[in-house]
Amino acid sequence: MNIVQQQWYGVLAACICGLALGALYDAFWLIRQHWRSAGLTFFLDALFSMTSGAALFVLAVSIFQQRMRGFLPVSMLLGGILWELTAGRWVRRFWKWMHKRAGKRKFSKKS
């Protein structure tokens, strides 16, 4: 595999990783909405930050032979934005719909 193909593979892998991190963030959002606690929010945000850093490290080490490329975090960000603009909205809408039907409290917008 030549260097250009390897870099495109890395961009694709980083976008997929960003999608997965977006899904993880929304899963943490659902947990935070169910149990409203400052301590839990801090823990979940710290866990998400460590997971994001670990994913970036694994991508940099495995695909790019320990070289950090500038487009790697940008590609992960694009994957996260893609999640937010597609499936992330549907997950939150479904969650709010379920709780409205169950007569639960209304949730604030995603912060």
Side-chain angles (χ1 to χ4, degrees), residues 66-92:
Q66 301 175 354
R67 293 187 192 110
M68 184 62 182
R69 304 286 187 194
F71 58 82
L72 190 59
V74 172
S75 299
M76 288 175 71
L77 179 64
L78 288 176
I81 290 170
L82 182 63
W83 170 265
E84 178 64 30
L85 295 177
T86 56
R89 289 184 178 186
W90 292 104
V91 167
R92 285 188 301 282

